[in-house]
Amino acid sequence: MRPMPQKEYVINLENNPMTTYRYRMHQEDLAKQFGRWYRLSHGNKKTVCLLGMRADESLQRYSGFLNKKYGYKGECWISQTFKDVWCASPLYDWSSEDVWHANYMFNYEYNRLYDLYYMAGLKVSQMRVASPFNDYSKDSLNLYRVIDPEIWTKLVGRVRGANFASIYGRTKAMGYRNITLPKGHTWRSYTLFLLDTLPARLRNNYVKKFNTSIEFWHKTGGGMDEETIQELIDHGYKIRRNGVSNYTLKKKTRIVFVGTIPDDTDDIRSTKDIPSWKRMCYCILKNDHTCRFMGFGMTREQQKRIDLIREKYKSLEDMDHGA
C-alpha cells in the first residue's frame, strides 16, 4: 500500500536474516519461529518473546491464556513454544481502559489513527488498527473513505470486493443484524432447514460445532455476570449455577441450561454471549465455518486444510498478480 521504507532496520525478503522463516507463513507461526530463530542465533540461550495480547479482546483469548498445560512456574501468561523458548504476555489482564490510562500517565507513543477514530465518534471498543478484512472489522471499512481517502483509493484498486463490503458490511447482504426469520419457522427449524441444504462435509462441520456448544451449555456452562444471571431468571429461562468459571478474570459464576437451548435470547440485553438456535443460524447465514460468532476458534485440522488450499492455488494467485 505504501513504498518500502529504505532503512537498515526494515526487514523484507531481500535482507531477511531469519533462517526459520517460510514464505507467506502465518502470523502465528511467524511469532513462534522468530523466538526459535532468536535462540539459535544467540548461542542457544534461554529466550522469552513478549506478545502484546490482551485476554479481554475475546473469549477465545481468555481460554488461550487460562487453559495452559505448559505454563512457566504456574503462570498462565507465560507458555513454552519450543525447547528453551517461551512466549510471555504480561499485559494479558489489562483492559482497553487500562491501556489508555497508561498512555496518559506515561505519555506513551501510540498510533494517531486512534485520534481520528475518536473524532469520528467511535467507542474505545470499536477502534481497531488491524487488518480491515477479517470477520471483526470488515463492517467498519466505510470509515476508511473518510479517515484516509488516499489509502481507501488504493484498497479499492487492489482488493476485490472492498467497496462492496464497505457498502453492505452492516446489512443483511453480509449477514449482519436484523436477519428476519421466514414465516412459519422457529430459529431451530430454520437452522435445521439450512443444514439440510448444505453439502455433507460443510453440514457435518456445523453439526459438530453446534453439538459441542449444546453439550457445553448443558454440562459445563459459561461464566456470566450476576446481572445477566438475574435477567435470565426474571425472564423465565431454566438455568442453574454450576460453580465458578476459571476462564474469566473475575471468576464469574458458571450457568448451565436445563432442558432445551433457547430459540433466541432477544429479550436479554446485558450480554450477547448466551447460547441460542438464533446464534447457530447466524453462523450458517454469515458463512462462519469456524463459528467464531459462537466463540469457537479454528482447529488445527481446519488451519491445515486452509494452508493446503492456499498452496494448491498459489500459482493462480501469482499469475493474477503478474497480470
Side-chain angles (χ1 to χ4, degrees), residues 4 34 77 90 118 146 246 274 278 289 297:
M4 181 74 71
F34 175 84
W77 51 275
Y118 178 78
V146 179
N246 292 322
I274 303 176
K278 185 175 182 179
H289 306 303

Side-chain angles (χ1 to χ4, degrees), residues 144-239:
Y144 279 74
R145 291 183 293 184
V146 179
I147 291 175
D148 197 336
E150 183 178 345
I151 289 296
W152 172 247
T153 301
K154 293 181 179 181
L155 277 175
V156 172
R158 179 170 175 174
V159 182
R160 294 177 181 176
N163 196 48
F164 178 89
S166 73
I167 297 172
Y168 299 106
R170 302 179 70 88
T171 68
K172 296 177 184 178
M174 298 290 282
Y176 183 91
R177 291 181 181 174
N178 301 323
I179 296 176
T180 55
L181 187 63
K183 187 176 180 180
H185 273 292
T186 62
W187 285 108
R188 182 181 184 277
S189 67
Y190 191 36
T191 301
L192 297 177
F193 166 77
L194 292 174
L195 286 172
D196 283 340
T197 66
L198 298 175
R201 186 163 61 85
L202 188 56
R203 178 173 63 250
N204 292 337
N205 172 70
Y206 280 121
V207 169
K208 184 178 179 180
K209 295 282 189 182
F210 295 167
N211 284 338
T212 299
S213 177
I214 292 172
E215 183 178 9
F216 172 81
W217 284 102
H218 277 156
K219 295 183 177 180
T220 304
M224 294 288 173
D225 291 318
E226 287 301 320
E227 175 191 359
T228 301
I229 295 174
Q230 189 58 51
E231 190 178 4
L232 287 165
I233 294 173
D234 291 343
H235 283 81
Y237 288 89
K238 296 180 179 179
I239 61 173

